[in-house]
Amino acid sequence: MNEILNESLIEKLTENEKRVYSYVTENIKSIENLKIKEIAKNTFTSSATVVRTAKKLGFKGYKELIYKIVNKKTILECNVIGQRFNIKNEEQLNEMIELIDNGKIMLYAEGLASAIVLYIYEKLLLAGKNVELFNSPVCRLMLNNHDVEVDYDAIIIVSRLGKGDISLKIAEYLKGLGSKVVLFTSNKKSKLYDSADLIFEYKEHSDGSYENYYPTSFYGYTILFFEELFKLYFEKKYSFMKKKSELVQSLEK
């Protein structure tokens, strides 16, 4: 939780305020649905104390504090995302969720990774997303014929070692047209890694010397990553829809 809140700010809280903070951080799963009066009652404090706690911690108010803690905890609880992949910050995941929600996406992979991309493709189609799956022959045609019109917000490439020449050519070509290159890999010493805009590096610490026939958990955990990502996506989507519905109902009264 220290990634959200400054430790020095927590130390400056009074005993009552620390009790509020402890209660909020220890009841992540239920806290989002509790009203401020309920927090005050459960901590034997007051609504004013709850608000004051939030402001002392650098937030505009109680709602912003809860939002930040709930969303950060959700990400930290995703073991596959937080423990298996190097994630720079929460914004990196939010950017990926935004691409899934509103972007036109192209998916590409070669070899063993093709099965992973096919799974992701089917998953996005079921969710009604704007996604296309390209195989090697189609991609070669696109690269060799620059008159072919392409307009993608992002291309997602799954490549454990990042060695595919075609993957690199596709990434550089679409990047030149304004597409964002998203890469899932375990090798940061590849040209494909250097050309990517949004990178999710699997913590395998591969230097690119391992062949794909050796045992690896990269492919399985990449699928699990997307499952956790879809979970975050739907949680945010339905949370927003719920709040919007409540606002409309309040305005109609």
Side-chain angles (χ1 to χ4, degrees), residues 100-129:
I100 289 176
D101 193 20
N102 299 310
K104 181 179 180 181
I105 300 173
M106 171 183 171
L107 294 169
Y108 182 78
E110 298 177 52
L112 294 176
S114 299
I116 310 305
V117 161
L118 180 59
Y119 180 89
I120 298 168
Y121 170 72
E122 295 289 349
K123 196 80 174 184
L124 289 172
L125 276 185
L126 288 172
K129 299 306 172 184

Side-chain angles (χ1 to χ4, degrees), residues 68-82:
K68 289 290 184 181
I69 288 180
V70 168
N71 281 279
K72 188 63 178 181
K73 185 62 177 179
T74 300
I75 292 172
L76 292 178
E77 285 182 338
C78 294
N79 293 333
V80 173
I81 291 178

Side-chain angles (χ1 to χ4, degrees), residues 6-14 18 57:
N6 191 309
E7 191 70 29
S8 63
L9 295 178
I10 298 173
E11 293 177 354
K12 293 178 181 179
L13 297 176
T14 65
K18 285 181 179 178
L57 292 172

Side-chain angles (χ1 to χ4, degrees), residues 5-232:
L5 305 176
N6 191 309
E7 191 70 29
S8 63
L9 295 178
I10 298 173
E11 293 177 354
K12 293 178 181 179
L13 297 176
T14 65
E15 289 304 313
N16 284 344
E17 292 163 353
K18 285 181 179 178
R19 190 156 65 246
V20 170
Y21 169 73
S22 297
Y23 181 85
V24 168
T25 56
E26 291 170 7
N27 294 274
I28 299 296
K29 293 183 179 180
S30 61
I31 200 69
E32 192 174 18
N33 298 318
L34 293 180
K35 296 180 179 179
I36 190 168
K37 290 183 179 180
E38 294 175 292
I39 302 294
K41 179 180 178 181
N42 294 341
T43 56
F44 303 100
T45 59
S46 65
S47 297
T49 301
V50 176
V51 173
R52 188 168 58 250
T53 302
K55 290 185 176 181
K56 278 191 175 183
L57 292 172
F59 299 97
K60 294 179 181 178
Y62 165 75
K63 289 185 177 180
E64 185 180 6
L65 168 65
I66 298 305
Y67 174 81
K68 289 290 184 181
I69 288 180
V70 168
N71 281 279
K72 188 63 178 181
K73 185 62 177 179
T74 300
I75 292 172
L76 292 178
E77 285 182 338
C78 294
N79 293 333
V80 173
I81 291 178
Q83 297 179 15
R84 293 288 181 171
F85 289 83
N86 287 320
I87 309 295
K88 291 182 179 179
N89 48 50
E90 185 177 341
E91 285 67 31
Q92 189 176 2
L93 284 176
N94 289 334
E95 186 175 358
M96 188 66 183
I97 291 173
E98 177 64 23
L99 285 173
I100 289 176
D101 193 20
N102 299 310
K104 181 179 180 181
I105 300 173
M106 171 183 171
L107 294 169
Y108 182 78
E110 298 177 52
L112 294 176
S114 299
I116 310 305
V117 161
L118 180 59
Y119 180 89
I120 298 168
Y121 170 72
E122 295 289 349
K123 196 80 174 184
L124 289 172
L125 276 185
L126 288 172
K129 299 306 172 184
N130 192 354
V131 58
E132 293 183 24
L133 180 65
F134 279 73
N135 55 27
S136 295
V138 174
C139 288
R140 288 192 184 97
L141 177 62
M142 181 187 73
L143 291 175
N144 293 330
N145 183 5
H146 289 186
D147 292 331
V148 176
E149 292 186 7
V150 290
D151 181 22
Y152 300 99
D153 294 296
I155 172 172
I156 298 176
I157 299 175
V158 178
S159 178
R160 177 183 168 234
L161 302 179
K163 288 184 174 181
D165 291 336
I166 296 177
S167 296
L168 180 60
K169 288 180 180 178
I170 293 172
E172 291 178 341
Y173 176 67
L174 290 180
K175 187 171 184 177
L177 295 177
S179 301
K180 187 176 293 293
V181 178
V182 181
L183 176 65
F184 286 80
T185 188
S186 64
N187 180 20
K188 62 181 180 181
K189 296 181 180 180
S190 69
K191 292 182 179 179
L192 188 56
Y193 185 100
D194 294 334
S195 68
D197 301 298
L198 196 58
I199 303 170
F200 297 96
E201 180 195 354
Y202 182 64
K203 298 177 182 178
E204 193 173 49
H205 305 298
S206 170
D207 59 1
S209 62
Y210 306 115
E211 298 297 335
N212 270 325
Y213 54 76
Y214 282 98
T216 176
S217 54
F218 168 78
Y219 302 108
Y221 275 110
T222 299
I223 285 181
L224 290 176
F225 177 99
F226 269 91
E227 289 296 341
E228 293 289 0
L229 196 67
F230 287 135
K231 178 183 176 182
L232 289 174

